[in-house]
Amino acid sequence: MPSELPTKSRKVRFDNGAHTTSECNHKIGGKYIHHKPSRASEGKEVTKVVNGTGLRELIVPCPDPLEPPVIWPISEFNRLKAQSRVWTKEDKLQLIEEAQRKNEARRIESEKRVEQLRKAQLEQRAKPGSKLFTNEADAADKNLYVLQRAFELRQEQEDEVKNANGIILAAKCLAIRKAQIVEKELLHKELTEEERRLDGMMEQERQKALKAEEERKALRHVINKRHVDGLSQQIRGNEVQRMIEVENKEEESRKINKAMIAMQREDAENLRRKKLEQAKVREELRLANENIAQFRILQKEEERIATLRVQEFMRKKAEREAARDAELAEIQAEKNRELSRLQAAQQKAMDEQSAKDELNALRTQEEVEREWREKERKAAAKRKEQLENLRIGRERQVEDIRRTQALEIQKDREEFSKIVRVQKELYEKDLEKRRRIKEAAMHHRKDLLKQVNEKECERIEQLKEKFKEGKALLLEKEVRELNIRGVIEKKIKRMRDNNVPEGVVRDIERQLKLG
């Protein structure tokens, strides 16, 4: 087999030590442990099949996988060996006891270390009167204060204390509200008195203002009288001035009228001169119009004479054109006669050429038909040959198909036999697996019953522990209530120390049921 032959890189043997995969020469079962096949069919069963495309090689499926040999390191071997051990109940109990012994030993050792530390701390404790003792005392006081403060803050988080805080806060708000109301009434009274005092002061100021206003009115009356006298004098002076201005205006009007009369006379003279000039212009225009009418008569006569001359010229021109047309008609008739003669000769030549072309066309058609018949004969022979070749090919193909079908039938029979064998093996394995599962289920059921019994015992122990815890909880509840009551009483005492009205304090005690 090719797989058993060493490659060129495996000439040197390595008994031990590191080496590459290509240099490894170890074998198991006659095969190299790192061998890689050169092709897919190497080491496998191959069958040959003939089909339409030729001969093919097919790999026969193998139910058993190819497992190449391999070497495990010692660490992997030890790990698998350790994991393959089956732990019995005695082994598990022994492990549990061993773990408990170790835990107990660790606990005893820890207690010893704690005791040693405690003794060392007692030996290192400071002596009374020393600075270290004072510092430790201060630290202890601070620590005690912090603890006390933490205890108070923790108590403040209790619902009862929060409720008491709410009641105290509401009472404080009510007391503050009452004090504010009293203060507001006092302020209102003071404001009323102040407003009354201000009203009196305002009345006095008003009387003073009225008196001052009367004095101002009298003074204004005197001043107004003086103004009236002054205005009267001004009016009289203005009247005299106005009369003087009227006389001046009348004098100016007379002068303006004289100037206007002179201007009117000058305008009349200008108008007369303008009318004379217009009459002269009209006379000149009349003479010009007469001259224009005479010129138009002469122009019409000249146009009539020119028209007669044009008519004479057109008559002579028509006579010349008629003579020339007659001459051209004679020339055209001669040309037409010559053209008819040429057309007759051309038609004769065309008829002769048409006869020749028709004869040539018949000859060409016969030649084409002869070539077509020859081509059809050759095509028929070729088709006959192709049909014969096709028949032979079909016979060969049918033979190949029959041979292939025979091979496939043989292969199907072999595969069916293999499948039957594999199914039988699987059925036996399934029966074995079910038996093992049933045994495992029985074992599991026993373990479950044992666990149920253990859980029941644990539950009974837990009930006993809960009963003990109940007593502890009751005691803890009583201590909690005492602490809460102490905190609330301290708050009440602090309120009395802060001079809160006794009625408010008693109302708070009544709400908190302190008695």
Side-chain angles (χ1 to χ4, degrees):
M1 293 293 290
S3 60
E4 296 178 357
L5 295 176
T7 59
K8 187 176 180 181
S9 60
R10 294 183 178 135
K11 290 182 179 180
V12 182
R13 294 184 60 84
F14 293 89
D15 296 332
N16 194 4
H19 56 273
T20 61
T21 302
S22 61
E23 296 172 345
C24 182
N25 55 10
H26 293 287
K27 292 183 179 181
I28 294 179
K31 295 181 180 180
Y32 288 100
I33 61 175
H34 297 298
H35 173 69
K36 291 184 179 179
S38 60
R39 56 180 181 172
S41 61
E42 183 177 341
K44 299 179 182 179
E45 184 180 355
V46 180
T47 181
K48 295 183 178 180
V49 178
V50 179
N51 54 14
T53 59
L55 185 63
R56 294 181 59 190
E57 290 185 355
L58 301 178
I59 299 174
V60 178
C62 182
D64 299 327
L66 296 176
E67 296 180 354
V70 67
I71 295 177
W72 286 346
I74 189 65
S75 59
E76 183 69 13
F77 177 75
N78 292 333
R79 184 184 66 80
L80 294 174
K81 184 178 179 182
Q83 289 184 353
S84 63
R85 180 180 177 183
V86 179
W87 294 90
T88 61
K89 185 176 181 181
E90 290 77 9
D91 295 336
K92 293 179 180 179
L93 292 174
Q94 186 177 358
L95 288 175
I96 293 171
E97 291 175 357
E98 183 67 23
Q100 289 177 354
R101 283 197 300 273
K102 290 181 180 180
N103 291 333
E104 185 66 21
R106 284 195 294 269
R107 186 183 64 78
I108 294 171
E109 186 178 356
S110 177
E111 290 178 355
K112 288 180 180 180
R113 285 197 300 270
V114 170
E115 185 65 23
Q116 291 176 0
L117 289 173
R118 188 178 63 79
K119 290 180 180 180
Q121 289 178 356
L122 289 175
E123 292 176 357
Q124 294 176 0
R125 183 173 295 177
K127 296 179 181 181
S130 63
K131 186 176 181 181
L132 180 60
F133 181 80
T134 305
N135 292 335
E136 288 181 353
D138 294 339
D141 293 338
K142 290 181 181 179
N143 190 20
L144 182 62
Y145 171 75
V146 171
L147 292 175
Q148 183 66 25
R149 182 60 181 162
F151 175 75
E152 291 176 357
L153 292 175
R154 189 168 63 251
Q155 294 299 321
E156 290 291 335
Q157 300 301 320
E158 298 292 342
D159 294 337
E160 292 83 353
V161 177
K162 289 181 179 179
N163 185 25
N165 290 335
I167 294 172
I168 292 170
L169 183 61
K172 287 181 179 180
C173 292
L174 182 61
I176 293 169
R177 177 62 178 166
K178 289 181 179 179
Q180 288 176 348
I181 291 172
V182 173
E183 185 179 0
K184 185 177 181 181
E185 291 176 353
L186 181 61
L187 288 173
H188 181 69
K189 184 177 179 181
E190 292 177 354
L191 287 173
T192 303
E193 293 177 356
E194 183 67 20
E195 288 177 357
R196 192 180 298 111
R197 186 178 65 80
L198 291 174
D199 289 341
M201 293 174 65
M202 290 175 65
E203 182 64 23
Q204 293 177 3
E205 293 293 332
R206 190 178 69 82
Q207 294 296 333
K208 291 180 181 179
L210 289 174
K211 187 176 180 181
E213 184 66 25
E214 290 177 356
E215 292 177 355
R216 284 195 297 272
K217 283 182 179 181
L219 182 61
R220 281 199 300 271
H221 180 69
V222 174
I223 293 171
N224 289 335
K225 187 176 180 181
R226 292 177 183 175
H227 288 170
V228 169
D229 294 340
L231 289 173
S232 299
Q233 293 178 1
Q234 289 179 2
I235 290 170
R236 285 193 295 271
N238 291 333
E239 185 68 23
V240 173
Q241 185 68 26
R242 188 177 62 78
M243 291 175 67
I244 294 170
E245 290 178 356
V246 168
E247 291 178 357
N248 293 332
K249 288 181 180 180
E250 288 178 354
E251 183 66 24
E252 289 178 359
S253 297
R254 284 194 296 270
K255 292 179 180 180
I256 290 170
N257 289 332
K258 290 179 180 180
M260 291 294 292
I261 291 169
M263 290 175 65
Q264 288 177 359
R265 289 176 181 176
E266 187 177 356
D267 291 339
E269 184 65 23
N270 292 332
L271 181 61
R272 187 180 62 78
R273 284 197 300 270
K274 188 180 290 185
K275 287 181 179 180
L276 292 175
E277 290 177 358
Q278 289 177 354
K280 185 178 179 180
V281 169
R282 283 197 296 272
E283 183 64 23
E284 291 177 355
L285 288 173
R286 185 182 63 78
L287 294 174
N289 289 331
E290 290 177 356
N291 293 330
I292 290 170
Q294 187 67 27
F295 176 75
R296 287 178 178 175
I297 293 169
L298 293 175
Q299 188 178 7
K300 287 181 179 180
E301 184 65 21
E302 289 177 356
E303 289 178 356
R304 187 180 66 79
I305 294 170
T307 302
L308 292 175
R309 289 177 180 175
V310 170
Q311 290 177 356
E312 181 66 19
F313 174 76
M314 293 299 293
R315 184 181 62 77
K316 291 179 179 181
K317 182 180 179 181
E319 291 176 355
R320 287 194 302 271
E321 288 180 354
R324 189 177 59 183
D325 290 340
E327 185 179 358
L328 291 174
E330 183 65 23
I331 294 170
Q332 185 66 30
E334 184 65 25
K335 287 182 179 181
N336 290 335
R337 286 192 296 272
E338 183 66 20
L339 182 61
S340 298
R341 186 181 63 78
L342 292 174
Q343 287 179 353
Q346 186 178 6
Q347 183 67 30
K348 184 178 180 181
M350 288 176 65
D351 292 339
E352 293 177 355
Q353 185 66 30
S354 176
K356 291 179 181 179
D357 292 341
E358 186 176 357
L359 182 60
N360 291 331
L362 290 174
R363 291 175 181 174
T364 303
Q365 185 176 2
E366 290 178 357
E367 184 68 23
V368 170
E369 289 178 354
R370 185 166 55 254
E371 291 178 357
W372 179 79
R373 286 193 296 272
E374 182 66 22
K375 189 182 294 184
E376 286 293 323
R377 185 181 62 77
K378 291 180 179 179
K382 187 176 181 180
R383 282 198 299 272
K384 184 177 180 181
E385 184 179 358
Q386 289 177 351
L387 290 173
E388 183 66 21
N389 293 333
L390 182 61
R391 184 183 63 77
I392 295 171
R394 286 180 178 176
E395 290 178 356
R396 291 178 181 176
Q397 187 176 7
V398 169
E399 185 67 23
D400 292 338
I401 290 172
R402 289 176 180 174
R403 189 182 301 108
T404 303
Q405 288 177 351
L407 292 173
E408 289 179 354
I409 291 170
Q410 181 65 24
K411 182 181 177 181
D412 291 340
R413 288 177 181 175
E414 293 176 357
E415 289 181 356
F416 179 75
S417 300
K418 291 180 181 179
I419 290 170
V420 170
R421 185 172 64 256
V422 171
Q423 290 290 339
K424 186 176 180 181
E425 292 176 357
L426 291 175
Y427 178 72
E428 293 175 355
K429 290 180 180 179
D430 187 47
L431 289 177
E432 181 66 21
K433 185 178 179 181
R434 290 182 180 179
R435 185 182 62 78
R436 292 177 181 176
I437 291 172
K438 187 175 181 181
E439 291 178 356
M442 293 296 295
H443 183 68
H444 182 64
R445 181 172 176 275
K446 292 179 180 179
D447 291 341
L448 287 177
L449 291 174
K450 183 179 179 181
Q451 291 178 6
V452 168
N453 293 330
E454 292 176 355
K455 291 291 183 181
E456 187 66 22
C457 294
E458 291 178 0
R459 190 178 65 81
I460 293 171
E461 293 295 330
Q462 289 176 359
L463 289 174
K464 292 180 180 179
E465 292 294 332
K466 286 183 179 179
F467 182 72
K468 294 178 182 179
E469 290 177 359
K471 291 182 178 180
L473 290 173
L474 289 175
L475 181 60
E476 184 180 354
K477 183 178 180 182
E478 292 177 358
V479 173
R480 175 176 172 276
E481 290 177 353
L482 289 174
N483 291 332
I484 292 171
R485 187 178 182 86
V487 171
I488 295 173
E489 288 177 353
K490 286 182 181 179
K491 291 180 180 291
I492 297 297
K493 185 177 180 300
R494 195 179 299 118
M495 291 177 66
R496 284 196 172 94
D497 295 339
N498 292 330
N499 297 323
V500 177
E502 186 65 23
V504 176
V505 176
R506 289 178 181 175
D507 186 54
I508 293 172
E509 290 179 346
R510 180 182 57 78
Q511 293 183 23
L512 296 176
K513 299 178 181 180
L514 294 178

